[in-house]
PDB file of all heavy atoms in Angstrom:
ATOM      1  N   LYS A 642     119.109-206.539  75.322  1.00 84.00           N
ATOM      2  CA  LYS A 642     119.475-206.134  73.961  1.00 84.00           C
ATOM      3  C   LYS A 642     119.780-204.645  73.857  1.00 84.00           C
ATOM      4  O   LYS A 642     120.653-204.231  73.114  1.00 84.00           O
ATOM      5  CB  LYS A 642     118.354-206.487  72.989  1.00 84.00           C
ATOM      6  CG  LYS A 642     118.222-207.957  72.721  1.00 84.00           C
ATOM      7  CD  LYS A 642     117.104-208.228  71.733  1.00 84.00           C
ATOM      8  CE  LYS A 642     116.920-209.719  71.549  1.00 84.00           C
ATOM      9  NZ  LYS A 642     115.829-210.000  70.604  1.00 84.00           N
ATOM     10  N   SER A 643     119.062-203.834  74.593  1.00 86.00           N
ATOM     11  CA  SER A 643     119.281-202.382  74.540  1.00 86.00           C
ATOM     12  C   SER A 643     120.506-201.955  75.346  1.00 86.00           C
ATOM     13  O   SER A 643     120.899-200.799  75.295  1.00 86.00           O
ATOM     14  CB  SER A 643     118.052-201.653  75.071  1.00 86.00           C
ATOM     15  OG  SER A 643     117.888-201.935  76.454  1.00 86.00           O
ATOM     16  N   ARG A 644     121.089-202.891  76.102  1.00 88.00           N
ATOM     17  CA  ARG A 644     122.255-202.645  76.965  1.00 88.00           C
ATOM     18  C   ARG A 644     121.979-201.603  78.049  1.00 88.00           C
ATOM     19  O   ARG A 644     122.882-200.966  78.545  1.00 88.00           O
ATOM     20  CB  ARG A 644     123.488-202.265  76.136  1.00 88.00           C
ATOM     21  CG  ARG A 644     123.958-203.357  75.206  1.00 88.00           C
ATOM     22  CD  ARG A 644     125.311-203.096  74.557  1.00 88.00           C
ATOM     23  NE  ARG A 644     125.786-201.745  74.547  1.00 88.00           N
ATOM     24  CZ  ARG A 644     125.758-200.927  73.498  1.00 88.00           C
ATOM     25  NH1 ARG A 644     125.269-201.329  72.358  1.00 88.00           N
ATOM     26  NH2 ARG A 644     126.249-199.708  73.587  1.00 88.00           N
ATOM     27  N   THR A 645     120.721-201.448  78.439  1.00 90.00           N
ATOM     28  CA  THR A 645     120.403-200.541  79.542  1.00 90.00           C
ATOM     29  C   THR A 645     120.072-201.310  80.821  1.00 90.00           C
ATOM     30  O   THR A 645     119.923-200.710  81.872  1.00 90.00           O
ATOM     31  CB  THR A 645     119.213-199.624  79.192  1.00 90.00           C
ATOM     32  OG1 THR A 645     118.072-200.431  78.902  1.00 90.00           O
ATOM     33  CG2 THR A 645     119.552-198.719  78.029  1.00 90.00           C
ATOM     34  N   THR A 646     119.935-202.632  80.710  1.00 90.00           N
ATOM     35  CA  THR A 646     119.669-203.450  81.895  1.00 90.00           C
ATOM     36  C   THR A 646     120.681-204.584  81.998  1.00 90.00           C
ATOM     37  O   THR A 646     121.148-205.104  80.988  1.00 90.00           O
ATOM     38  CB  THR A 646     118.254-204.062  81.864  1.00 90.00           C
ATOM     39  OG1 THR A 646     118.117-204.862  80.702  1.00 90.00           O
ATOM     40  CG2 THR A 646     117.185-202.999  81.902  1.00 90.00           C
ATOM     41  N   MET A 647     121.004-204.913  83.225  1.00 90.00           N
ATOM     42  CA  MET A 647     121.923-206.009  83.491  1.00 90.00           C
ATOM     43  C   MET A 647     121.398-206.784  84.697  1.00 90.00           C
ATOM     44  O   MET A 647     120.953-206.188  85.680  1.00 90.00           O
ATOM     45  CB  MET A 647     123.328-205.493  83.801  1.00 90.00           C
ATOM     46  CG  MET A 647     124.323-206.590  84.118  1.00 90.00           C
ATOM     47  SD  MET A 647     125.927-205.977  84.666  1.00 90.00           S
ATOM     48  CE  MET A 647     126.528-205.265  83.153  1.00 90.00           C
ATOM     49  N   LYS A 648     121.436-208.124  84.600  1.00 92.00           N
ATOM     50  CA  LYS A 648     121.068-208.982  85.716  1.00 92.00           C
ATOM     51  C   LYS A 648     122.238-209.902  86.014  1.00 92.00           C
ATOM     52  O   LYS A 648     122.890-210.403  85.105  1.00 92.00           O
ATOM     53  CB  LYS A 648     119.841-209.825  85.376  1.00 92.00           C
ATOM     54  CG  LYS A 648     118.590-209.012  85.175  1.00 92.00           C
ATOM     55  CD  LYS A 648     117.434-209.914  84.819  1.00 92.00           C
ATOM     56  CE  LYS A 648     116.195-209.106  84.543  1.00 92.00           C
ATOM     57  NZ  LYS A 648     115.066-209.970  84.141  1.00 92.00           N
ATOM     58  N   LEU A 649     122.482-210.115  87.285  1.00 92.00           N
ATOM     59  CA  LEU A 649     123.515-211.042  87.732  1.00 92.00           C
ATOM     60  C   LEU A 649     122.836-212.159  88.506  1.00 92.00           C
ATOM     61  O   LEU A 649     121.972-211.911  89.344  1.00 92.00           O
ATOM     62  CB  LEU A 649     124.524-210.347  88.648  1.00 92.00           C
ATOM     63  CG  LEU A 649     125.212-209.103  88.111  1.00 92.00           C
ATOM     64  CD1 LEU A 649     126.134-208.524  89.172  1.00 92.00           C
ATOM     65  CD2 LEU A 649     125.976-209.399  86.849  1.00 92.00           C
ATOM     66  N   LEU A 650     123.224-213.390  88.226  1.00 94.00           N
ATOM     67  CA  LEU A 650     122.684-214.546  88.925  1.00 94.00           C
ATOM     68  C   LEU A 650     123.813-215.217  89.694  1.00 94.00           C
ATOM     69  O   LEU A 650     124.888-215.458  89.143  1.00 94.00           O
ATOM     70  CB  LEU A 650     122.082-215.541  87.920  1.00 94.00           C
ATOM     71  CG  LEU A 650     121.523-216.832  88.508  1.00 94.00           C
ATOM     72  CD1 LEU A 650     120.264-216.539  89.331  1.00 94.00           C
ATOM     73  CD2 LEU A 650     121.224-217.833  87.404  1.00 94.00           C
ATOM     74  N   HIS A 651     123.542-215.514  90.958  1.00 93.00           N
ATOM     75  CA  HIS A 651     124.577-216.095  91.824  1.00 93.00           C
ATOM     76  C   HIS A 651     123.910-216.999  92.850  1.00 93.00           C
ATOM     77  O   HIS A 651     122.873-216.665  93.412  1.00 93.00           O
ATOM     78  CB  HIS A 651     125.328-214.955  92.522  1.00 93.00           C
ATOM     79  CG  HIS A 651     126.349-215.404  93.505  1.00 93.00           C
ATOM     80  ND1 HIS A 651     127.480-216.098  93.150  1.00 93.00           N
ATOM     81  CD2 HIS A 651     126.408-215.251  94.839  1.00 93.00           C
ATOM     82  CE1 HIS A 651     128.195-216.347  94.239  1.00 93.00           C
ATOM     83  NE2 HIS A 651     127.555-215.855  95.272  1.00 93.00           N
ATOM     84  N   TRP A 652     124.531-218.159  93.094  1.00 94.00           N
ATOM     85  CA  TRP A 652     124.060-219.070  94.144  1.00 94.00           C
ATOM     86  C   TRP A 652     124.757-218.699  95.436  1.00 94.00           C
ATOM     87  O   TRP A 652     125.974-218.581  95.489  1.00 94.00           O
ATOM     88  CB  TRP A 652     124.378-220.515  93.790  1.00 94.00           C
ATOM     89  CG  TRP A 652     124.025-221.476  94.889  1.00 94.00           C
ATOM     90  CD1 TRP A 652     124.869-221.989  95.826  1.00 94.00           C
ATOM     91  CD2 TRP A 652     122.743-222.015  95.159  1.00 94.00           C
ATOM     92  NE1 TRP A 652     124.190-222.830  96.668  1.00 94.00           N
ATOM     93  CE2 TRP A 652     122.867-222.851  96.283  1.00 94.00           C
ATOM     94  CE3 TRP A 652     121.486-221.864  94.584  1.00 94.00           C
ATOM     95  CZ2 TRP A 652     121.785-223.550  96.815  1.00 94.00           C
ATOM     96  CZ3 TRP A 652     120.420-222.559  95.119  1.00 94.00           C
ATOM     97  CH2 TRP A 652     120.575-223.393  96.220  1.00 94.00           C
ATOM     98  N   GLU A 653     123.981-218.516  96.488  1.00 92.00           N
ATOM     99  CA  GLU A 653     124.542-218.115  97.777  1.00 92.00           C
ATOM    100  C   GLU A 653     123.872-218.921  98.884  1.00 92.00           C
ATOM    101  O   GLU A 653     122.667-218.805  99.091  1.00 92.00           O
ATOM    102  CB  GLU A 653     124.287-216.628  97.982  1.00 92.00           C
ATOM    103  CG  GLU A 653     125.133-216.000  99.046  1.00 92.00           C
ATOM    104  CD  GLU A 653     124.952-214.501  99.045  1.00 92.00           C
ATOM    105  OE1 GLU A 653     125.629-213.831  98.251  1.00 92.00           O
ATOM    106  OE2 GLU A 653     124.109-214.011  99.832  1.00 92.00           O
ATOM    107  N   ARG A 654     124.632-219.728  99.546  1.00 87.00           N
ATOM    108  CA  ARG A 654     124.157-220.600 100.628  1.00 87.00           C
ATOM    109  C   ARG A 654     123.040-221.504 100.175  1.00 87.00           C
ATOM    110  O   ARG A 654     123.265-222.474  99.501  1.00 87.00           O
ATOM    111  CB  ARG A 654     123.797-219.799 101.855  1.00 87.00           C
ATOM    112  CG  ARG A 654     125.000-219.111 102.436  1.00 87.00           C
ATOM    113  CD  ARG A 654     124.697-218.454 103.727  1.00 87.00           C
ATOM    114  NE  ARG A 654     125.866-217.659 104.106  1.00 87.00           N
ATOM    115  CZ  ARG A 654     125.879-216.815 105.068  1.00 87.00           C
ATOM    116  NH1 ARG A 654     124.801-216.623 105.792  1.00 87.00           N
ATOM    117  NH2 ARG A 654     126.963-216.144 105.346  1.00 87.00           N
ATOM    118  N   ARG A 655     121.791-221.191 100.484  1.00 90.00           N
ATOM    119  CA  ARG A 655     120.692-222.106 100.163  1.00 90.00           C
ATOM    120  C   ARG A 655     119.732-221.548  99.112  1.00 90.00           C
ATOM    121  O   ARG A 655     118.585-221.985  99.027  1.00 90.00           O
ATOM    122  CB  ARG A 655     119.923-222.439 101.425  1.00 90.00           C
ATOM    123  CG  ARG A 655     120.754-223.270 102.385  1.00 90.00           C
ATOM    124  CD  ARG A 655     119.934-223.650 103.574  1.00 90.00           C
ATOM    125  NE  ARG A 655     119.555-222.482 104.352  1.00 90.00           N
ATOM    126  CZ  ARG A 655     119.895-222.271 105.603  1.00 90.00           C
ATOM    127  NH1 ARG A 655     120.604-223.159 106.237  1.00 90.00           N
ATOM    128  NH2 ARG A 655     119.513-221.187 106.221  1.00 90.00           N
ATOM    129  N   GLY A 656     120.174-220.602  98.313  1.00 94.00           N
ATOM    130  CA  GLY A 656     119.271-220.062  97.301  1.00 94.00           C
ATOM    131  C   GLY A 656     119.969-219.131  96.334  1.00 94.00           C
ATOM    132  O   GLY A 656     121.124-218.750  96.527  1.00 94.00           O
ATOM    133  N   TYR A 657     119.257-218.759  95.287  1.00 95.00           N
ATOM    134  CA  TYR A 657     119.799-217.869  94.267  1.00 95.00           C
ATOM    135  C   TYR A 657     119.607-216.412  94.665  1.00 95.00           C
ATOM    136  O   TYR A 657     118.621-216.055  95.318  1.00 95.00           O
ATOM    137  CB  TYR A 657     119.102-218.096  92.924  1.00 95.00           C
ATOM    138  CG  TYR A 657     119.469-219.407  92.297  1.00 95.00           C
ATOM    139  CD1 TYR A 657     118.618-220.494  92.355  1.00 95.00           C
ATOM    140  CD2 TYR A 657     120.687-219.567  91.651  1.00 95.00           C
ATOM    141  CE1 TYR A 657     118.961-221.703  91.791  1.00 95.00           C
ATOM    142  CE2 TYR A 657     121.049-220.773  91.084  1.00 95.00           C
ATOM    143  CZ  TYR A 657     120.178-221.827  91.155  1.00 95.00           C
ATOM    144  OH  TYR A 657     120.530-223.024  90.597  1.00 95.00           O
ATOM    145  N   VAL A 658     120.558-215.601  94.250  1.00 94.00           N
ATOM    146  CA  VAL A 658     120.469-214.154  94.407  1.00 94.00           C
ATOM    147  C   VAL A 658     120.496-213.570  93.007  1.00 94.00           C
ATOM    148  O   VAL A 658     121.335-213.958  92.185  1.00 94.00           O
ATOM    149  CB  VAL A 658     121.655-213.594  95.233  1.00 94.00           C
ATOM    150  CG1 VAL A 658     121.565-212.092  95.340  1.00 94.00           C
ATOM    151  CG2 VAL A 658     121.702-214.236  96.597  1.00 94.00           C
ATOM    152  N   MET A 659     119.571-212.654  92.718  1.00 94.00           N
ATOM    153  CA  MET A 659     119.556-211.984  91.433  1.00 94.00           C
ATOM    154  C   MET A 659     119.689-210.484  91.679  1.00 94.00           C
ATOM    155  O   MET A 659     118.927-209.902  92.452  1.00 94.00           O
ATOM    156  CB  MET A 659     118.251-212.246  90.677  1.00 94.00           C
ATOM    157  CG  MET A 659     118.220-211.575  89.320  1.00 94.00           C
ATOM    158  SD  MET A 659     116.740-211.942  88.363  1.00 94.00           S
ATOM    159  CE  MET A 659     115.527-210.961  89.210  1.00 94.00           C
ATOM    160  N   TYR A 660     120.679-209.893  91.052  1.00 94.00           N
ATOM    161  CA  TYR A 660     120.875-208.450  91.123  1.00 94.00           C
ATOM    162  C   TYR A 660     120.409-207.858  89.803  1.00 94.00           C
ATOM    163  O   TYR A 660     120.661-208.432  88.735  1.00 94.00           O
ATOM    164  CB  TYR A 660     122.353-208.109  91.335  1.00 94.00           C
ATOM    165  CG  TYR A 660     122.921-208.660  92.612  1.00 94.00           C
ATOM    166  CD1 TYR A 660     123.581-209.880  92.622  1.00 94.00           C
ATOM    167  CD2 TYR A 660     122.797-207.966  93.809  1.00 94.00           C
ATOM    168  CE1 TYR A 660     124.102-210.397  93.799  1.00 94.00           C
ATOM    169  CE2 TYR A 660     123.317-208.474  94.984  1.00 94.00           C
ATOM    170  CZ  TYR A 660     123.960-209.698  94.967  1.00 94.00           C
ATOM    171  OH  TYR A 660     124.476-210.206  96.126  1.00 94.00           O
ATOM    172  N   TYR A 661     119.740-206.723  89.874  1.00 94.00           N
ATOM    173  CA  TYR A 661     119.204-206.082  88.679  1.00 94.00           C
ATOM    174  C   TYR A 661     119.650-204.624  88.654  1.00 94.00           C
ATOM    175  O   TYR A 661     119.526-203.924  89.656  1.00 94.00           O
ATOM    176  CB  TYR A 661     117.672-206.154  88.715  1.00 94.00           C
ATOM    177  CG  TYR A 661     116.985-205.487  87.560  1.00 94.00           C
ATOM    178  CD1 TYR A 661     116.800-206.175  86.375  1.00 94.00           C
ATOM    179  CD2 TYR A 661     116.507-204.191  87.653  1.00 94.00           C
ATOM    180  CE1 TYR A 661     116.154-205.582  85.298  1.00 94.00           C
ATOM    181  CE2 TYR A 661     115.871-203.585  86.594  1.00 94.00           C
ATOM    182  CZ  TYR A 661     115.686-204.288  85.411  1.00 94.00           C
ATOM    183  OH  TYR A 661     115.052-203.691  84.366  1.00 94.00           O
ATOM    184  N   LYS A 662     120.175-204.204  87.527  1.00 93.00           N
ATOM    185  CA  LYS A 662     120.619-202.819  87.374  1.00 93.00           C
ATOM    186  C   LYS A 662     120.009-202.254  86.097  1.00 93.00           C
ATOM    187  O   LYS A 662     120.123-202.862  85.027  1.00 93.00           O
ATOM    188  CB  LYS A 662     122.151-202.761  87.291  1.00 93.00           C
ATOM    189  CG  LYS A 662     122.740-201.402  87.005  1.00 93.00           C
ATOM    190  CD  LYS A 662     122.659-200.502  88.210  1.00 93.00           C
ATOM    191  CE  LYS A 662     123.400-199.209  87.944  1.00 93.00           C
ATOM    192  NZ  LYS A 662     123.519-198.398  89.120  1.00 93.00           N
ATOM    193  N   HIS A 663     119.345-201.107  86.209  1.00 93.00           N
ATOM    194  CA  HIS A 663     118.784-200.418  85.048  1.00 93.00           C
ATOM    195  C   HIS A 663     119.400-199.026  84.974  1.00 93.00           C
ATOM    196  O   HIS A 663     119.346-198.271  85.946  1.00 93.00           O
ATOM    197  CB  HIS A 663     117.265-200.295  85.165  1.00 93.00           C
ATOM    198  CG  HIS A 663     116.659-199.465  84.084  1.00 93.00           C
ATOM    199  ND1 HIS A 663     116.475-199.950  82.807  1.00 93.00           N
ATOM    200  CD2 HIS A 663     116.234-198.197  84.076  1.00 93.00           C
ATOM    201  CE1 HIS A 663     115.948-198.992  82.064  1.00 93.00           C
ATOM    202  NE2 HIS A 663     115.789-197.922  82.822  1.00 93.00           N
ATOM    203  N   LEU A 664     119.998-198.715  83.849  1.00 92.00           N
ATOM    204  CA  LEU A 664     120.608-197.400  83.666  1.00 92.00           C
ATOM    205  C   LEU A 664     119.553-196.398  83.222  1.00 92.00           C
ATOM    206  O   LEU A 664     118.830-196.641  82.254  1.00 92.00           O
ATOM    207  CB  LEU A 664     121.727-197.464  82.621  1.00 92.00           C
ATOM    208  CG  LEU A 664     122.919-198.363  82.948  1.00 92.00           C
ATOM    209  CD1 LEU A 664     123.903-198.343  81.782  1.00 92.00           C
ATOM    210  CD2 LEU A 664     123.593-197.917  84.233  1.00 92.00           C
ATOM    211  N   GLU A 665     119.461-195.294  83.917  1.00 92.00           N
ATOM    212  CA  GLU A 665     118.543-194.223  83.519  1.00 92.00           C
ATOM    213  C   GLU A 665     119.079-193.489  82.299  1.00 92.00           C
ATOM    214  O   GLU A 665     118.324-193.008  81.474  1.00 92.00           O
ATOM    215  CB  GLU A 665     118.347-193.235  84.675  1.00 92.00           C
ATOM    216  CG  GLU A 665     117.619-193.838  85.851  1.00 92.00           C
ATOM    217  CD  GLU A 665     116.166-194.159  85.548  1.00 92.00           C
ATOM    218  OE1 GLU A 665     115.540-193.417  84.767  1.00 92.00           O
ATOM    219  OE2 GLU A 665     115.682-195.178  86.071  1.00 92.00           O
ATOM    220  N   GLN A 666     120.401-193.380  82.201  1.00 92.00           N
ATOM    221  CA  GLN A 666     121.051-192.735  81.061  1.00 92.00           C
ATOM    222  C   GLN A 666     122.215-193.603  80.612  1.00 92.00           C
ATOM    223  O   GLN A 666     122.851-194.260  81.424  1.00 92.00           O
ATOM    224  CB  GLN A 666     121.594-191.358  81.446  1.00 92.00           C
ATOM    225  CG  GLN A 666     120.523-190.372  81.827  1.00 92.00           C
ATOM    226  CD  GLN A 666     121.133-189.026  82.200  1.00 92.00           C
ATOM    227  OE1 GLN A 666     122.342-188.847  82.204  1.00 92.00           O
ATOM    228  NE2 GLN A 666     120.277-188.088  82.523  1.00 92.00           N
ATOM    229  N   GLY A 667     122.500-193.570  79.321  1.00 91.00           N
ATOM    230  CA  GLY A 667     123.638-194.317  78.797  1.00 91.00           C
ATOM    231  C   GLY A 667     123.350-195.796  78.660  1.00 91.00           C
ATOM    232  O   GLY A 667     122.228-196.260  78.862  1.00 91.00           O
ATOM    233  N   ARG A 668     124.395-196.514  78.302  1.00 88.00           N
ATOM    234  CA  ARG A 668     124.296-197.962  78.075  1.00 88.00           C
ATOM    235  C   ARG A 668     125.547-198.640  78.627  1.00 88.00           C
ATOM    236  O   ARG A 668     126.586-198.010  78.750  1.00 88.00           O
ATOM    237  CB  ARG A 668     124.210-198.259  76.575  1.00 88.00           C
ATOM    238  CG  ARG A 668     123.011-197.683  75.897  1.00 88.00           C
ATOM    239  CD  ARG A 668     123.077-197.957  74.396  1.00 88.00           C
ATOM    240  NE  ARG A 668     122.047-197.234  73.694  1.00 88.00           N
ATOM    241  CZ  ARG A 668     120.827-197.704  73.469  1.00 88.00           C
ATOM    242  NH1 ARG A 668     120.498-198.898  73.899  1.00 88.00           N
ATOM    243  NH2 ARG A 668     119.942-196.988  72.820  1.00 88.00           N
ATOM    244  N   PHE A 669     125.402-199.916  78.908  1.00 84.00           N
ATOM    245  CA  PHE A 669     126.575-200.692  79.284  1.00 84.00           C
ATOM    246  C   PHE A 669     127.473-200.825  78.062  1.00 84.00           C
ATOM    247  O   PHE A 669     126.995-200.847  76.921  1.00 84.00           O
ATOM    248  CB  PHE A 669     126.179-202.079  79.796  1.00 84.00           C
ATOM    249  CG  PHE A 669     125.470-202.034  81.129  1.00 84.00           C
ATOM    250  CD1 PHE A 669     124.114-202.273  81.219  1.00 84.00           C
ATOM    251  CD2 PHE A 669     126.168-201.744  82.284  1.00 84.00           C
ATOM    252  CE1 PHE A 669     123.455-202.233  82.435  1.00 84.00           C
ATOM    253  CE2 PHE A 669     125.531-201.695  83.510  1.00 84.00           C
ATOM    254  CZ  PHE A 669     124.172-201.932  83.575  1.00 84.00           C
ATOM    255  N   HIS A 670     128.745-200.940  78.281  1.00 78.00           N
ATOM    256  CA  HIS A 670     129.715-201.045  77.191  1.00 78.00           C
ATOM    257  C   HIS A 670     129.379-202.258  76.319  1.00 78.00           C
ATOM    258  O   HIS A 670     129.056-203.324  76.849  1.00 78.00           O
ATOM    259  CB  HIS A 670     131.127-201.183  77.769  1.00 78.00           C
ATOM    260  CG  HIS A 670     132.205-200.977  76.775  1.00 78.00           C
ATOM    261  ND1 HIS A 670     132.578-201.958  75.885  1.00 78.00           N
ATOM    262  CD2 HIS A 670     132.970-199.895  76.508  1.00 78.00           C
ATOM    263  CE1 HIS A 670     133.548-201.492  75.116  1.00 78.00           C
ATOM    264  NE2 HIS A 670     133.805-200.244  75.470  1.00 78.00           N
ATOM    265  N   PRO A 671     129.466-202.130  74.988  1.00 73.00           N
ATOM    266  CA  PRO A 671     129.127-203.255  74.107  1.00 73.00           C
ATOM    267  C   PRO A 671     129.950-204.513  74.367  1.00 73.00           C
ATOM    268  O   PRO A 671     129.478-205.619  74.145  1.00 73.00           O
ATOM    269  CB  PRO A 671     129.426-202.737  72.701  1.00 73.00           C
ATOM    270  CG  PRO A 671     129.599-201.283  72.815  1.00 73.00           C
ATOM    271  CD  PRO A 671     129.861-200.954  74.253  1.00 73.00           C
ATOM    272  N   ARG A 672     131.145-204.355  74.847  1.00 70.00           N
ATOM    273  CA  ARG A 672     132.008-205.508  75.096  1.00 70.00           C
ATOM    274  C   ARG A 672     131.387-206.465  76.122  1.00 70.00           C
ATOM    275  O   ARG A 672     131.563-207.677  76.046  1.00 70.00           O
ATOM    276  CB  ARG A 672     133.366-205.021  75.573  1.00 70.00           C
ATOM    277  CG  ARG A 672     134.396-206.073  75.605  1.00 70.00           C
ATOM    278  CD  ARG A 672     135.731-205.454  75.876  1.00 70.00           C
ATOM    279  NE  ARG A 672     136.759-206.460  75.853  1.00 70.00           N
ATOM    280  CZ  ARG A 672     137.987-206.240  76.190  1.00 70.00           C
ATOM    281  NH1 ARG A 672     138.357-205.036  76.572  1.00 70.00           N
ATOM    282  NH2 ARG A 672     138.859-207.204  76.152  1.00 70.00           N
ATOM    283  N   ILE A 673     130.643-205.930  77.070  1.00 62.00           N
ATOM    284  CA  ILE A 673     129.999-206.771  78.081  1.00 62.00           C
ATOM    285  C   ILE A 673     128.990-207.704  77.430  1.00 62.00           C
ATOM    286  O   ILE A 673     128.934-208.884  77.732  1.00 62.00           O
ATOM    287  CB  ILE A 673     129.304-205.910  79.156  1.00 62.00           C
ATOM    288  CG1 ILE A 673     130.343-205.197  79.996  1.00 62.00           C
ATOM    289  CG2 ILE A 673     128.389-206.755  80.029  1.00 62.00           C
ATOM    290  CD1 ILE A 673     129.766-204.209  80.975  1.00 62.00           C
ATOM    291  N   SER A 674     128.183-207.201  76.513  1.00 52.00           N
ATOM    292  CA  SER A 674     127.116-208.010  75.930  1.00 52.00           C
ATOM    293  C   SER A 674     127.612-208.942  74.837  1.00 52.00           C
ATOM    294  O   SER A 674     126.869-209.795  74.378  1.00 52.00           O
ATOM    295  CB  SER A 674     126.015-207.106  75.378  1.00 52.00           C
ATOM    296  OG  SER A 674     126.517-206.274  74.368  1.00 52.00           O
ATOM    297  N   LYS A 675     128.845-208.826  74.411  1.00 53.00           N
ATOM    298  CA  LYS A 675     129.356-209.672  73.338  1.00 53.00           C
ATOM    299  C   LYS A 675     130.233-210.812  73.848  1.00 53.00           C
ATOM    300  O   LYS A 675     130.755-211.580  73.071  1.00 53.00           O
ATOM    301  CB  LYS A 675     130.128-208.834  72.330  1.00 53.00           C
ATOM    302  CG  LYS A 675     129.250-207.843  71.613  1.00 53.00           C
ATOM    303  CD  LYS A 675     129.921-207.322  70.396  1.00 53.00           C
ATOM    304  CE  LYS A 675     129.111-206.224  69.777  1.00 53.00           C
ATOM    305  NZ  LYS A 675     128.030-206.672  68.952  1.00 53.00           N
ATOM    306  N   ARG A 676     130.388-210.922  75.139  1.00 53.00           N
ATOM    307  CA  ARG A 676     131.193-212.017  75.683  1.00 53.00           C
ATOM    308  C   ARG A 676     130.527-213.341  75.407  1.00 53.00           C
ATOM    309  O   ARG A 676     129.314-213.453  75.382  1.00 53.00           O
ATOM    310  CB  ARG A 676     131.367-211.848  77.183  1.00 53.00           C
ATOM    311  CG  ARG A 676     132.164-210.634  77.513  1.00 53.00           C
ATOM    312  CD  ARG A 676     133.143-210.990  78.530  1.00 53.00           C
ATOM    313  NE  ARG A 676     134.005-209.847  78.707  1.00 53.00           N
ATOM    314  CZ  ARG A 676     135.106-209.892  79.355  1.00 53.00           C
ATOM    315  NH1 ARG A 676     135.486-211.005  79.885  1.00 53.00           N
ATOM    316  NH2 ARG A 676     135.857-208.836  79.472  1.00 53.00           N
ATOM    317  N   ARG A 677     131.318-214.357  75.256  1.00 56.00           N
ATOM    318  CA  ARG A 677     130.818-215.708  75.007  1.00 56.00           C
ATOM    319  C   ARG A 677     130.915-216.523  76.288  1.00 56.00           C
ATOM    320  O   ARG A 677     131.744-216.264  77.149  1.00 56.00           O
ATOM    321  CB  ARG A 677     131.644-216.395  73.919  1.00 56.00           C
ATOM    322  CG  ARG A 677     131.611-215.674  72.614  1.00 56.00           C
ATOM    323  CD  ARG A 677     130.288-215.892  71.934  1.00 56.00           C
ATOM    324  NE  ARG A 677     130.283-215.239  70.659  1.00 56.00           N
ATOM    325  CZ  ARG A 677     129.266-214.550  70.206  1.00 56.00           C
ATOM    326  NH1 ARG A 677     128.206-214.399  70.918  1.00 56.00           N
ATOM    327  NH2 ARG A 677     129.303-213.995  69.019  1.00 56.00           N
TER     328      ARG A 677
END
């Protein structure tokens, strides 16, 4: 909700991969969080 964290979920071979990104400064663009 604060647009400072982003997680990506992806299936790769025999299991899930989760990537996590936390911004120390700034926010992700609002357009990213409003996608349907």
Side-chain angles (χ1 to χ4, degrees):
K642 288 181 184 179
S643 66
R644 297 190 341 257
T645 59
T646 59
M647 179 187 291
K648 294 179 183 178
L649 305 178
L650 178 69
H651 176 66
W652 175 263
E653 197 172 276
R654 296 187 188 170
R655 292 184 295 241
Y657 289 102
V658 178
M659 181 177 74
Y660 299 94
Y661 178 85
K662 175 74 173 188
H663 174 77
L664 298 178
E665 293 292 326
Q666 296 180 358
R668 298 176 189 271
F669 291 107
H670 194 281
R672 191 171 182 187
I673 291 173
S674 61
K675 295 196 186 278
R676 294 225 173 192
R677 300 285 182 223

